[in-house]
mmCIF file of all heavy atoms in Angstrom:
data_model
loop_
_atom_site.group_PDB
_atom_site.id
_atom_site.type_symbol
_atom_site.label_atom_id
_atom_site.label_comp_id
_atom_site.label_asym_id
_atom_site.label_seq_id
_atom_site.Cartn_x
_atom_site.Cartn_y
_atom_site.Cartn_z
ATOM 1 N N HIS H 561 -24.854 28.370 -37.053
ATOM 2 C CA HIS H 561 -25.395 27.635 -38.209
ATOM 3 C C HIS H 561 -24.301 26.763 -38.791
ATOM 4 O O HIS H 561 -23.134 27.186 -38.849
ATOM 5 C CB HIS H 561 -25.912 28.613 -39.265
ATOM 6 C CG HIS H 561 -27.046 29.473 -38.807
ATOM 7 N ND1 HIS H 561 -28.306 29.379 -39.314
ATOM 8 C CD2 HIS H 561 -27.092 30.464 -37.856
ATOM 9 C CE1 HIS H 561 -29.111 30.251 -38.704
ATOM 10 N NE2 HIS H 561 -28.377 30.933 -37.830
ATOM 11 N N ALA H 562 -24.675 25.594 -39.270
ATOM 12 C CA ALA H 562 -23.723 24.701 -39.913
ATOM 13 C C ALA H 562 -24.360 24.066 -41.125
ATOM 14 O O ALA H 562 -25.586 23.871 -41.172
ATOM 15 C CB ALA H 562 -23.236 23.631 -38.928
ATOM 16 N N LYS H 563 -23.539 23.779 -42.128
ATOM 17 C CA LYS H 563 -24.042 23.155 -43.344
ATOM 18 C C LYS H 563 -23.300 21.836 -43.540
ATOM 19 O O LYS H 563 -22.070 21.774 -43.566
ATOM 20 C CB LYS H 563 -23.813 24.052 -44.544
ATOM 21 C CG LYS H 563 -24.363 23.502 -45.858
ATOM 22 C CD LYS H 563 -24.145 24.452 -47.013
ATOM 23 C CE LYS H 563 -25.012 25.701 -46.907
ATOM 24 N NZ LYS H 563 -24.882 26.578 -48.115
ATOM 25 N N PHE H 564 -24.096 20.758 -43.667
ATOM 26 C CA PHE H 564 -23.541 19.423 -43.884
ATOM 27 C C PHE H 564 -24.220 18.836 -45.098
ATOM 28 O O PHE H 564 -25.447 18.685 -45.115
ATOM 29 C CB PHE H 564 -23.758 18.528 -42.671
ATOM 30 C CG PHE H 564 -23.189 19.058 -41.382
ATOM 31 C CD1 PHE H 564 -23.973 19.771 -40.494
ATOM 32 C CD2 PHE H 564 -21.859 18.848 -41.077
ATOM 33 C CE1 PHE H 564 -23.439 20.261 -39.345
ATOM 34 C CE2 PHE H 564 -21.320 19.342 -39.911
ATOM 35 C CZ PHE H 564 -22.122 20.055 -39.031
ATOM 36 N N GLY H 565 -23.435 18.471 -46.112
ATOM 37 C CA GLY H 565 -24.007 17.892 -47.313
ATOM 38 C C GLY H 565 -25.021 18.789 -47.988
ATOM 39 O O GLY H 565 -25.992 18.300 -48.547
ATOM 40 N N GLY H 566 -24.789 20.102 -47.933
ATOM 41 C CA GLY H 566 -25.694 21.062 -48.571
ATOM 42 C C GLY H 566 -26.925 21.392 -47.761
ATOM 43 O O GLY H 566 -27.734 22.202 -48.204
ATOM 44 N N LYS H 567 -27.082 20.793 -46.571
ATOM 45 C CA LYS H 567 -28.258 21.050 -45.740
ATOM 46 C C LYS H 567 -27.872 21.873 -44.531
ATOM 47 O O LYS H 567 -26.920 21.548 -43.821
ATOM 48 C CB LYS H 567 -28.903 19.751 -45.302
ATOM 49 C CG LYS H 567 -30.229 19.922 -44.583
ATOM 50 C CD LYS H 567 -30.868 18.585 -44.272
ATOM 51 C CE LYS H 567 -32.219 18.789 -43.573
ATOM 52 N NZ LYS H 567 -32.888 17.481 -43.265
ATOM 53 N N GLU H 568 -28.602 22.958 -44.297
ATOM 54 C CA GLU H 568 -28.278 23.884 -43.216
ATOM 55 C C GLU H 568 -28.942 23.439 -41.918
ATOM 56 O O GLU H 568 -30.093 23.007 -41.874
ATOM 57 C CB GLU H 568 -28.729 25.293 -43.572
ATOM 58 C CG GLU H 568 -28.416 26.337 -42.499
ATOM 59 C CD GLU H 568 -28.874 27.737 -42.907
ATOM 60 O OE1 GLU H 568 -28.946 28.020 -44.130
ATOM 61 O OE2 GLU H 568 -29.188 28.514 -41.993
ATOM 62 N N HIS H 569 -28.228 23.556 -40.778
ATOM 63 C CA HIS H 569 -28.734 23.233 -39.463
ATOM 64 C C HIS H 569 -28.408 24.391 -38.513
ATOM 65 O O HIS H 569 -27.337 24.986 -38.606
ATOM 66 C CB HIS H 569 -28.109 21.957 -38.886
ATOM 67 C CG HIS H 569 -28.238 20.754 -39.753
ATOM 68 N ND1 HIS H 569 -29.278 19.859 -39.615
ATOM 69 C CD2 HIS H 569 -27.478 20.333 -40.795
ATOM 70 C CE1 HIS H 569 -29.136 18.888 -40.500
ATOM 71 N NE2 HIS H 569 -28.060 19.146 -41.236
ATOM 72 N N ILE H 570 -29.320 24.684 -37.598
ATOM 73 C CA ILE H 570 -29.012 25.574 -36.452
ATOM 74 C C ILE H 570 -28.627 24.679 -35.309
ATOM 75 O O ILE H 570 -29.455 23.942 -34.776
ATOM 76 C CB ILE H 570 -30.214 26.468 -36.100
ATOM 77 C CG1 ILE H 570 -30.608 27.335 -37.280
ATOM 78 C CG2 ILE H 570 -29.888 27.314 -34.883
ATOM 79 C CD1 ILE H 570 -31.849 28.195 -37.017
ATOM 80 N N ILE H 571 -27.361 24.715 -34.931
ATOM 81 C CA ILE H 571 -26.854 23.718 -33.966
ATOM 82 C C ILE H 571 -26.660 24.273 -32.583
ATOM 83 O O ILE H 571 -26.382 23.503 -31.649
ATOM 84 C CB ILE H 571 -25.538 23.093 -34.459
ATOM 85 C CG1 ILE H 571 -24.441 24.151 -34.548
ATOM 86 C CG2 ILE H 571 -25.735 22.407 -35.796
ATOM 87 C CD1 ILE H 571 -23.051 23.569 -34.850
ATOM 88 N N GLY H 572 -26.781 25.588 -32.365
ATOM 89 C CA GLY H 572 -26.577 26.130 -31.040
ATOM 90 C C GLY H 572 -26.703 27.615 -30.973
ATOM 91 O O GLY H 572 -27.067 28.287 -31.954
ATOM 92 N N VAL H 573 -26.453 28.165 -29.785
ATOM 93 C CA VAL H 573 -26.552 29.600 -29.542
ATOM 94 C C VAL H 573 -25.569 29.995 -28.442
ATOM 95 O O VAL H 573 -25.267 29.203 -27.551
ATOM 96 C CB VAL H 573 -27.990 29.959 -29.160
ATOM 97 C CG1 VAL H 573 -28.410 29.312 -27.847
ATOM 98 C CG2 VAL H 573 -28.196 31.483 -29.083
ATOM 99 N N PHE H 574 -25.039 31.210 -28.529
ATOM 100 C CA PHE H 574 -24.206 31.723 -27.436
ATOM 101 C C PHE H 574 -24.454 33.214 -27.283
ATOM 102 O O PHE H 574 -24.969 33.860 -28.200
ATOM 103 C CB PHE H 574 -22.714 31.417 -27.669
ATOM 104 C CG PHE H 574 -22.105 32.165 -28.828
ATOM 105 C CD1 PHE H 574 -21.363 33.324 -28.606
ATOM 106 C CD2 PHE H 574 -22.236 31.702 -30.144
ATOM 107 C CE1 PHE H 574 -20.777 33.997 -29.670
ATOM 108 C CE2 PHE H 574 -21.672 32.386 -31.197
ATOM 109 C CZ PHE H 574 -20.937 33.536 -30.981
ATOM 110 N N GLY H 575 -24.127 33.729 -26.110
ATOM 111 C CA GLY H 575 -24.339 35.144 -25.872
ATOM 112 C C GLY H 575 -24.200 35.507 -24.409
ATOM 113 O O GLY H 575 -23.849 34.664 -23.560
ATOM 114 N N ILE H 576 -24.518 36.766 -24.072
ATOM 115 C CA ILE H 576 -24.467 37.283 -22.707
ATOM 116 C C ILE H 576 -25.854 37.143 -22.095
ATOM 117 O O ILE H 576 -26.840 37.643 -22.679
ATOM 118 C CB ILE H 576 -24.014 38.756 -22.700
ATOM 119 C CG1 ILE H 576 -22.659 38.900 -23.405
ATOM 120 C CG2 ILE H 576 -23.916 39.258 -21.258
ATOM 121 C CD1 ILE H 576 -22.218 40.359 -23.599
ATOM 122 N N LEU H 577 -25.949 36.518 -20.957
ATOM 123 C CA LEU H 577 -27.246 36.274 -20.352
ATOM 124 C C LEU H 577 -27.939 37.543 -19.929
ATOM 125 O O LEU H 577 -27.320 38.532 -19.501
ATOM 126 C CB LEU H 577 -27.092 35.358 -19.134
ATOM 127 C CG LEU H 577 -26.671 33.906 -19.392
ATOM 128 C CD1 LEU H 577 -26.604 33.133 -18.080
ATOM 129 C CD2 LEU H 577 -27.622 33.206 -20.361
ATOM 130 N N HIS H 578 -29.266 37.522 -20.049
ATOM 131 C CA HIS H 578 -30.089 38.665 -19.678
ATOM 132 C C HIS H 578 -30.017 38.914 -18.152
ATOM 133 O O HIS H 578 -29.919 37.956 -17.372
ATOM 134 C CB HIS H 578 -31.551 38.395 -20.090
ATOM 135 C CG HIS H 578 -32.412 39.594 -20.104
ATOM 136 N ND1 HIS H 578 -33.011 40.115 -18.966
ATOM 137 C CD2 HIS H 578 -32.782 40.417 -21.119
ATOM 138 C CE1 HIS H 578 -33.709 41.186 -19.282
ATOM 139 N NE2 HIS H 578 -33.595 41.397 -20.591
#
Side-chain angles (χ1 to χ4, degrees):
H561 297 247
K563 183 179 290 185
F564 303 95
K567 187 175 181 179
E568 181 180 333
H569 304 266
I570 299 177
I571 64 172
V573 64
F574 68 98
I576 304 172
L577 292 182
H578 196 278

